[in-house]
Amino acid sequence: MEMDGITTPFGRRTMTLGMLASQAIAKKIAPEASVDKWKLYRSLCEARPKLGISDRSLSVLNALMSFYPKTDLNGSDGLVVFPSNAQLSLRTHGMAETTLRRHLAALVEAGLLSRRDSPNGKRYVRRDRHGMIGEAFGFSLAPLLARAREIETLAAEVTAERLLLQRLRERVTLVRRDITKLIGTALEDGLAGDWTQYEAEYRRQVDALPRVATTEILEPILDALETLRTEILKYLEQQIILQNTAGNAGHIERHKQNSQSESISDSEHRFERKREENLGVEPLLSHQTSMKEPTRTGEREASREGMQPTSQRAPLPGDSARLQPPKPFPLGLVLQACPEIVPFGPGGSISSWRDLMTAAVVVRSMLAVSPSAYEEACQALGPENAATVIACILERSGHIISAGGYLRDLTRKAERREFSLGPMLMALLRTGGVPAKQAG
C-alpha cells in the first residue's frame, strides 16, 4: 500500500500540527520494525494516565486493533484498518456512534492514531487482481508502532510509581500502628512524659493525609512519623531503664495495688458488704465511704506500728500528694452500666481494662475532649476510673453540652475528694432498666 505524502481530514475537520507530527513520525518507521499489538495494548493501559486518554478511548482502540489481521504490527505492512461505525459499535459492546466519534477524535489528538480519509470520507479498501490491498482509507495504526518504545517506557514509569506508592502506604500504616500502640502502652502503664504532645503531633500528621495520596504527599509525612516514632521509642527506653534502676519495694507494692485482679475482687467485696448493710435501701457504691471507714485490718496494722489509722490522725502536710486514686469498680459492672462504649473496643468488644482504656481514647476524641483534660482525669482518678468516666459521659452525651468541661469539673471534685463514681454508675444502671440487685 502506498503511504507517501500527507493526508488531510475530510469535511469540516481541520488539520492540526499534532496530526501532521503523527504522520511525519509514522513515515520514519523502519520496514523491519515489529511489535506484538496486544503486549503494546497492555503497555498502553498502564501508561494511560501519562498519555491523557480515558478507558473508553482505550476500548475503542482495542476494537480498532482487533480489525488488524496479524498479531504483530509490522512496518512493512499496511497498517490501515477500515471498519465501519456499525462494526466498531458491535466490538465496543454497542457504543453509540456519537460516542465513537468523540473517542476516535481523542485518540487522534493523543497521537495514537492518524486518519487516512478517502475523497468522500468513507472507509474502504482497493485490492488488485491478486486480492492484495492496493490502497486503504480509514485509521492508520502506524503511530502506535512508531511510539512503541516510548509507550513501553511510560508504562514502566507508571508501574514503578505505583509500586513505590504502595510501599509508602504500607510503611505509613506500620508506623501509625507502632505510634498508637506505643502511646497507648505508655498511658496504660502510667509512664511519665508529655504523651499528649506526642499524640497531638501524631494527629496533626495523620490529619494531613488526603484520601487519595500521592508519592509527593506521603514521603514528607512518612519522614515526620518515623521521626516521631524514634523519639517515642527513645523516651520509652529511658523510662524503662529508670524504672529498672530505681525499682524498690514501694514500686512493687504500688504495682500490686493497681493490678486488675485485686482491684476487681476488692471492689466486689466492698460492694457486697455495702449492699448487705443497706438492705431495703437504694444501694450506692462510694469510694468516699470506704475511705472514711477504714477496715479493722488497717486499724490493727496501724496499732502494731504505733500509729493511729490514717482516718483518725491529723493529716500530715504531704498526705495530699500521697493520696492514691480510688480503686476501679468491677469491669463487668462498668460494661453493664455503660454498654455504648463496647463497640469502640478492639474488634468491637471489650474483655479487659486495657480494651476499655483503648476504647476510651477513641471516644475521648469523638467527644472532643482535649488530651490534657483526659490526662488530668487519669492522674486524679487513675486510668481505669478515668476510662469509666468517659464511658459514663458517652452514655449521657445527649444531655451534656461540653464533655471536656464536664470532665474537668469532675476531675477538680475528685482532687478535693468530693466526687464518687459509684452513684453515677448506679444511676446509669437504673436508667438502663437493670435491677439494682443485679449490679453486684
Side-chain angles (χ1 to χ4, degrees):
M1 184 180 68
E2 189 67 32
M3 289 293 294
D4 293 336
I6 297 296
T7 61
T8 56
F10 170 79
R12 297 181 179 179
R13 290 192 298 268
T14 58
M15 185 70 177
T16 64
L17 293 178
M19 295 180 187
L20 187 62
S22 298
Q23 295 185 31
I25 293 173
K27 288 174 61 178
K28 298 179 181 179
I29 299 175
E32 66 276 8
S34 178
V35 65
D36 187 301
K37 65 180 181 180
W38 298 125
K39 289 183 179 179
L40 181 59
Y41 180 76
R42 284 193 290 272
S43 298
L44 276 168
C45 294
E46 289 284 352
R48 181 177 66 84
K50 291 186 177 292
L51 293 172
I53 53 177
S54 66
D55 53 349
R56 299 293 299 277
S57 297
L58 279 179
S59 65
V60 174
L61 181 59
N62 179 281
L64 282 173
M65 294 173 72
S66 68
F67 284 100
Y68 185 76
K70 298 180 180 180
T71 303
D72 292 341
L73 300 178
N74 199 304
S76 60
D77 295 337
L79 297 174
V80 177
V81 291
F82 38 88
S84 65
N85 285 341
Q87 292 174 316
L88 269 178
S89 178
L90 289 176
R91 296 204 184 183
T92 53
H93 309 287
M95 186 179 291
E97 183 174 343
T98 54
T99 308
L100 274 174
R101 293 180 184 276
R102 186 171 67 253
H103 290 298
L104 287 170
L107 291 170
V108 172
E109 291 177 4
L112 301 178
L113 292 178
S114 62
R115 294 182 184 272
R116 186 170 177 81
D117 289 345
S118 64
N120 61 359
K122 301 296 183 180
R123 302 172 201 151
Y124 58 89
V125 62
R126 286 200 181 99
R127 300 180 184 272
D128 58 19
R129 64 180 63 184
H130 302 289
M132 302 297 294
I133 296 177
E135 190 173 14
F137 297 98
F139 292 99
S140 175
L141 302 177
L144 284 177
L145 181 57
R147 299 180 61 184
R149 183 169 297 179
E150 175 194 353
I151 293 170
E152 291 172 355
T153 302
L154 292 175
E157 292 177 359
V158 171
T159 301
E161 291 175 1
R162 186 179 68 250
L163 292 176
L164 176 60
L165 182 61
Q166 180 180 352
R167 294 192 188 98
L168 287 175
R169 287 174 175 170
E170 291 174 351
R171 290 174 60 188
V172 167
T173 301
L174 292 175
V175 174
R176 289 181 60 182
R177 184 180 69 190
D178 293 345
I179 292 174
T180 54
K181 288 186 178 294
L182 289 173
I183 293 177
T185 301
L187 291 174
E188 180 182 350
D189 294 341
L191 297 181
D194 194 0
W195 301 109
T196 56
Q197 182 179 355
Y198 286 132
E199 183 182 3
E201 174 63 19
Y202 166 73
R203 182 55 52 192
R204 187 178 68 84
Q205 296 295 338
V206 170
D207 290 343
L209 288 171
R211 178 171 295 180
V212 180
T214 61
T215 304
E216 292 75 13
I217 296 176
L218 283 181
E219 285 180 342
I221 295 178
L222 176 61
D223 292 340
L225 289 175
E226 288 180 339
T227 302
L228 180 62
R229 180 180 62 178
T230 302
E231 293 180 2
I232 293 174
L233 282 173
K234 288 182 179 179
Y235 198 81
L236 282 174
E237 290 173 358
Q238 294 174 359
Q239 291 291 315
I240 293 173
I241 293 173
L242 289 175
Q243 283 195 349
N244 290 338
T245 56
N248 52 40
H251 285 82
I252 298 173
E253 181 65 24
R254 283 195 294 272
H255 175 71
K256 289 181 179 180
Q257 288 176 357
N258 290 331
S259 64
Q260 176 182 345
S261 59
E262 290 193 10
S263 298
I264 294 175
S265 60
D266 188 63
S267 298
E268 287 175 348
H269 292 327
R270 283 190 283 110
F271 177 74
E272 291 294 337
R273 290 197 301 270
K274 189 69 177 177
R275 188 175 59 180
E276 292 172 0
E277 293 173 3
N278 293 279
L279 289 176
V281 183
E282 181 180 7
L284 291 177
L285 288 174
S286 174
H287 284 284
Q288 286 181 318
T289 305
S290 61
M291 290 177 58
K292 294 179 180 178
E293 299 177 3
T295 61
R296 296 180 179 178
T297 302
E299 293 176 352
R300 286 197 300 269
E301 291 178 355
S303 62
R304 280 200 301 267
E305 295 175 0
M307 298 171 55
Q308 289 184 346
T310 305
S311 60
Q312 298 177 4
R313 62 181 172 86
L316 298 177
D319 279 356
S320 60
R322 291 195 296 268
L323 287 176
Q324 294 294 326
K327 294 184 179 180
F329 289 91
L331 180 62
L333 175 67
V334 174
L335 297 180
Q336 191 175 7
C338 310
E340 293 292 334
I341 200 171
V342 174
F344 296 94
S349 62
I350 294 176
S351 58
S352 64
W353 281 110
R354 179 169 187 157
D355 292 346
L356 180 63
M357 288 185 284
T358 302
V361 173
V362 177
V363 173
R364 174 197 66 73
S365 300
M366 185 181 69
L367 295 175
V369 175
S370 65
S372 61
Y374 185 65
E375 184 179 7
E376 292 173 2
C378 289
Q379 293 174 355
L381 296 167
E384 294 90 350
N385 286 332
T388 303
V389 172
I390 291 292
C392 294
I393 293 176
L394 177 64
E395 289 290 325
R396 302 288 295 171
S397 58
H399 304 276
I400 298 174
I401 298 176
S402 174
Y406 184 63
L407 180 62
R408 287 187 185 276
D409 183 65
L410 294 181
T411 301
R412 287 192 292 268
K413 290 182 178 179
E415 291 172 348
R416 299 192 301 266
R417 300 297 174 181
E418 297 176 358
F419 168 67
S420 176
L421 190 54
M424 179 183 290
L425 287 173
M426 295 307 299
L428 289 174
L429 284 172
R430 291 194 301 271
T431 57
V434 180
K437 65 180 181 180
Q438 297 179 1

